[in-house]
Amino acid sequence: MPNTYSSLYCQSVFAVKYRSAVIKKSFEKELYAVIGNLINEAGCQTLIVNGVSDHVHCLFRFYPRHSISDVMKSVKSKSSKWLNESGYFNNRFEWQIGFGCFAYSQSQVSRVSRYINNQEEHHKNMTFKAEYIELLKAHNISYLPEYLFEDLQ
């Protein structure tokens, strides 16, 4: 649409199903590149993708013509398809249902990029669950603990 201007930045966070630690060093950079390309293919602009063995953080610029839910649905489904076809797993790979989405201004992009880049160091002292709850609280997002994570039955 002509004369529509925006500056929208989103950090999306999503976990491996059951928060299983299955993203290995041997292929994580390739996975993050695939995720970044999928975000770009969805019409957004990837700034950084990084994570650890059980979850991924993505920071990207998006535009008003996009739905974050549609972008993430595409990214998660296509990246899990890529992982399942890659031969990295003997069993079926799946992402946890849902994701966290946190908005930032242009002035916060450098700080958030550094945070995402330092995930390995950050998670030496904090679990993903604690980090995720901290992000929800920092963004004043109400949640019900019983619906946060899908656990093994």
Side-chain angles (χ1 to χ4, degrees):
M1 177 183 306
N3 297 320
T4 299
Y5 305 99
S6 67
S7 177
L8 305 169
Y9 296 89
C10 168
Q11 176 187 192
S12 180
V13 183
F14 52 97
V16 174
K17 190 167 187 175
Y18 307 124
R19 296 177 317 284
S20 299
V22 297
I23 300 172
K24 305 294 182 203
K25 291 278 184 210
S26 59
F27 63 84
E28 71 177 356
K29 297 301 181 203
E30 189 177 5
L31 170 62
Y32 301 153
V34 166
I35 291 170
N37 286 333
L38 290 169
I39 291 168
N40 293 340
E41 286 176 11
C44 299
Q45 179 187 5
T46 302
L47 302 176
I48 185 171
V49 177
N50 197 22
V52 291
S53 61
D54 64 349
H55 72 281
V56 174
H57 291 253
C58 311
L59 180 63
F60 57 95
R61 185 172 184 177
F62 66 101
Y63 303 93
R65 67 181 175 270
H66 297 118
S67 156
I68 295 295
S69 292
D70 289 345
V71 171
M72 294 314 304
K73 179 181 178 181
S74 174
V75 167
K76 289 175 66 182
S77 67
K78 290 179 179 178
S79 63
S80 62
K81 182 179 187 295
W82 178 83
L83 280 165
N84 284 315
E85 292 175 352
S86 69
Y88 292 127
F89 297 100
N90 294 328
N91 299 318
R92 181 174 164 74
F93 175 88
E94 293 181 61
W95 294 113
Q96 179 89 29
I97 294 171
F99 60 93
C101 180
F102 310 99
Y104 296 94
S105 66
Q106 172 66 47
S107 65
Q108 297 170 302
V109 167
S110 294
R111 178 185 59 79
V112 176
S113 291
R114 282 191 304 276
Y115 175 81
I116 292 171
N117 193 51
N118 291 319
Q119 280 295 292
E120 190 171 333
E121 187 65 31
H122 176 73
H123 284 288
K124 288 180 180 175
N125 302 314
M126 180 180 275
T127 66
F128 169 62
K129 186 173 183 176
E131 175 191 44
Y132 195 68
I133 290 170
E134 189 176 274
L135 282 166
L136 292 170
K137 287 180 179 178
H139 290 268
N140 295 315
I141 299 172
S142 299
Y143 64 93
L144 295 172
E146 61 269 26
Y147 294 114
L148 271 184
F149 300 106
E150 189 175 13
D151 291 313
L152 287 170
Q153 301 298 327

